[in-house]
Amino acid sequence: MAAADSDRPEESAPRATRMPRAAQAARSADAPTDPQVAGRRLLDRFDVVLVLVLAVIVIQSLVDTTGSIRGSFISHSVTGLALIVASRASAARPRVCRALDVLVVATVVGNLLLLIPASRGDQVSTGSSQAQSIWLAAELVLPVIIGRRVLQHRVVGVQTVLGAVAAYLQIAVTYATLFQTIDSLSAQPFFGEAVSTTVYTYFSLVTISTVGYGDFVAVTNLARLAATSEAVIGQVFLVTFVAFIVSRFAAGPSRQQPPPSATPSATPSAPPSAPPSAPSE
């Protein structure tokens, strides 16, 4: 009986040490967390954020939303999901998360309501579903909150590096929305002629990577300013922020730990001397 009882703790030990991936990511990063967001399941799960940002880039590169309710519904649904997950992973404040939730739900439901009459062959105005300026306000927040959370990691791990990469790619997604917003608000087209919405994502990725193929060129002064600012911000972010995170990751955990507050003395202290003995008579 004694041997059987001694084996029970060993069998239940692996189950007790199992933790959700979000808790493992937050604990390995050793980052301070607000108690209001400490229990989030997606906290510091920047691998999920990166996958969703890549999905947004792929969909916006393939789906043309010009006059298409179905295309807008697909694009806004995936983009909205990426916004929600990124806000939770970055430990954003509850009010920021609620604001993003309301924006995403309102936009997706609005596109869904427009999709029903469009499927019946009715003529539907797509102006309300193409509110890119509203998405732009939400997407501008994401690289900031992701970068702020990544810098809070005391120990740089895989999730930290993935978060930095996700923030970098999110800048390209944000500028694609900015280009489309400028085009919709300007009298002259962004590229001098009407193009599909997939071109904005392509042009943003080409600009932030400073490839410069030259097949699409910004023609207005405001468009040129936006394009050059993306090239500068993207390269500065890449060679400073991302390079700093990757270098800390390559240094290893031993060099990332902060120095202890109290260091032991270099020379050991001398043992206390024995009290003098009383003189013998």
Side-chain angles (χ1 to χ4, degrees), residues 35-66:
Q36 295 181 352
V37 299
R40 289 180 181 174
R41 297 181 179 180
L42 294 172
L43 184 62
D44 289 319
R45 288 300 307 275
F46 291 111
D47 53 342
V48 181
V49 176
L50 179 59
V51 170
L52 290 176
V53 172
L54 291 174
V56 171
I57 292 176
V58 171
I59 291 177
Q60 291 185 355
S61 300
L62 299 178
V63 178
D64 183 14
T65 61
T66 305

Side-chain angles (χ1 to χ4, degrees), residues 183-271:
D183 195 0
S184 62
L185 298 178
S186 301
Q188 185 178 359
F190 190 94
F191 299 108
E193 59 181 1
V195 296
S196 63
T197 58
T198 58
V199 176
Y200 299 104
T201 303
Y202 164 76
F203 181 75
S204 179
L205 292 173
V206 170
T207 302
I208 199 172
S209 59
T210 64
V211 175
Y213 289 123
D215 47 355
F216 291 96
V217 181
V219 297
T220 65
N221 293 332
L222 183 58
R224 292 170 179 171
L225 176 62
T228 53
S229 65
E230 181 185 13
V232 173
I233 293 176
Q235 290 305 302
V236 171
F237 186 90
L238 186 63
V239 301
T240 58
F241 186 84
V242 177
F244 171 72
I245 296 298
V246 173
S247 63
R248 288 181 58 192
F249 177 77
S254 60
R255 296 178 60 183
Q256 299 171 20
Q257 296 290 350
S261 57
T263 56
S265 177
T267 57
S269 58

Side-chain angles (χ1 to χ4, degrees), residues 21-33 43-46 149-161 248 256-258:
R21 292 185 178 180
Q24 293 178 358
R27 177 170 294 185
S28 62
D30 191 20
T33 304
L43 184 62
D44 289 319
R45 288 300 307 275
F46 291 111
R149 180 61 183 177
V150 166
L151 289 177
Q152 290 177 348
H153 289 187
R154 297 191 182 98
V155 178
V156 177
V158 176
Q159 295 295 334
T160 312
V161 177
R248 288 181 58 192
Q256 299 171 20
Q257 296 290 350

